[in-house]
Amino acid sequence: MLLESVAEVSDEQILQDYMASNGNAPLPGITNKKEDGRRLPLFHHLSQHDDTMSIFQSAPQSIMIETLEYLRKEHGTIPRYLESIGFNASWQHRLRKSFNSSFSHL
């Protein structure tokens, strides 16, 4: 969400991408399938040890919308929020350039 915001992707596209991958995108080196092929929650290896991890397994679209709205209400823009946590304009520019060049062929 934050990466796409920095890359100036529309909120609609961010939400669409998030919902398409919500709980479905495997992370390198992390499996979410049992030996018999049944799916497990993506972060099952963490949630077995800490029940609070379950809140990170997925989020409804409404939460993503509220998060974007909150960040903009409190900081004005996503880039300003990122600056407030130390990810300054120079780093954002580098990220935007890298992101856009990576996806320019699509």
Side-chain angles (χ1 to χ4, degrees):
M1 174 176 70
L2 297 176
L3 167 64
E4 289 181 311
S5 292
V6 169
E8 300 172 345
V9 173
S10 72
D11 285 1
E12 293 78 21
Q13 185 64 50
I14 291 170
L15 293 170
Q16 187 177 39
D17 291 348
Y18 176 79
M19 295 313 295
S21 67
N22 188 12
N24 297 314
L27 299 175
I30 298 177
T31 181
N32 65 334
K33 293 193 177 191
K34 290 185 173 185
E35 288 181 22
D36 65 4
R38 290 184 294 150
R39 288 180 59 93
L40 292 168
L42 184 59
F43 295 107
H44 67 86
H45 61 290
L46 297 174
S47 60
Q48 291 172 355
H49 305 290
D50 185 356
D51 290 337
T52 60
M53 283 304 297
S54 64
I55 64 171
F56 296 110
Q57 290 176 355
S58 66
Q61 185 173 6
S62 61
I63 297 297
M64 299 307 295
I65 292 168
E66 288 176 26
T67 300
L68 289 168
E69 289 173 352
Y70 173 80
L71 291 173
R72 289 190 177 113
K73 178 182 165 203
E74 293 296 314
H75 300 277
T77 65
I78 302 297
R80 283 189 189 153
Y81 162 71
L82 292 170
E83 285 183 37
S84 77
I85 62 169
F87 196 70
N88 67 29
S90 174
W91 279 105
Q92 291 178 46
H93 174 74
R94 290 173 66 181
L95 178 63
R96 186 179 307 109
K97 185 177 175 184
S98 176
F99 183 85
N100 290 336
S101 67
S102 295
F103 292 97
S104 62
H105 65 282
L106 298 178

